[in-house]
Every structure is written in C-alpha cells, then in structure tokens.
Amino acid sequence: MTPDQDLRAAAVNYLRQWEVRDYAAMRSLCTETAAVWHSDGSGDQPIDENMELLKKLAAGVETLRYDIVRQFQDGNEVLQQQVLHLTMTDGSRSDVHAAMYFRFDGGLIDRIEEYFNVVPLNESMPSSGSTEQH
C-alpha cells in the first residue's frame, strides 16, 4: 500500500470502527489533540468529547453503515463524500449525506470536519409537481 492509500484507508477505518461501536479503536486512530468540527455552528470539539457524543447518538441506533461515494487526497488531507445509513431502535430510518475532511499528523487523524444533511426515509416528501396553492 502507498502512503496515500494508507491515509485513505485510515479515514475509512475510523468510520468502520463506529459502525461496530469500537470507540477505543476509533480513538487510537487520532492524535492526543485531535479536534472535530461539525456544520451545526457549535465550533471545534475535542476528540474525547466527540467520542462521548457518538456513544450517546449510537444508543438509539440499531444499525449504522457507511457508503463511501468518493475520496480525494492531497498530502496529509483526505476529503470524502459519504452516506451514513441509520436504522433506529424504533424502526425509523434516515440517511446522513455528508462530506468529511480528515487531516493527518504522523499517520493519525488530527482534525475532522463534517458537513452533513439528514434525510428521513420513512416520511413522504412532497413532489416537485405538487398542484397545491400557497
């Protein structure tokens, strides 16, 4: 494997560890000072706080699975487009469409940025050809 393939694989491996809820393995892939940023306006979050948030989020999740749509790498940075498929314990389902940025330092994740949109799958969406008057 080339160094570029190693970093791309490490980014995917981080997500695969969340699929199986192995938080220790996830954490081991990150630097001590790693930070996570989400597009919700809350700013940077230390990696350990983010791990606690992921544990809480996973509590109501029956299954989660990532599909990596595409990946790009430039030096120590990996950018990928992905879809997270969630099935909740109540049976509801949703997809999280996201772009995720990983910056590496010494082969470990040092920064994560995630831009996302949640799409509920159990709700009917109005069609674009609706004849409703507004």
Side-chain angles (χ1 to χ4, degrees), residues 67-82:
D67 285 336
I68 309 304
V69 178
R70 68 179 130 232
Q71 276 187 320
F72 305 96
Q73 183 173 354
D74 185 18
N76 67 338
E77 300 173 308
V78 174
L79 179 66
Q80 64 189 31
Q81 181 183 359
Q82 62 201 28

Side-chain angles (χ1 to χ4, degrees), residues 115-130:
Y115 306 80
F116 61 92
N117 183 44
V118 179
V119 179
L121 298 177
N122 293 14
E123 299 177 14
S124 60
M125 301 293 285
S127 71
S128 60
S130 175

Side-chain angles (χ1 to χ4, degrees), residues 15-75:
L15 301 176
R16 297 291 179 233
Q17 297 312 308
W18 194 41
E19 288 177 340
V20 297
R21 294 160 175 98
D22 188 343
Y23 302 101
M26 290 175 74
R27 183 63 181 92
S28 73
L29 297 170
C30 301
T31 65
E32 283 299 313
T33 58
V36 180
W37 177 91
H38 294 284
S39 59
D40 63 3
S42 61
D44 283 359
Q45 182 180 54
I47 191 68
D48 293 316
E49 275 183 34
N50 186 256
M51 291 289 150
E52 290 305 312
L53 177 65
L54 291 176
K55 288 176 188 177
K56 289 177 186 172
L57 289 173
V61 175
E62 183 71 30
T63 62
L64 55 97
R65 181 180 50 82
Y66 279 96
D67 285 336
I68 309 304
V69 178
R70 68 179 130 232
Q71 276 187 320
F72 305 96
Q73 183 173 354
D74 185 18

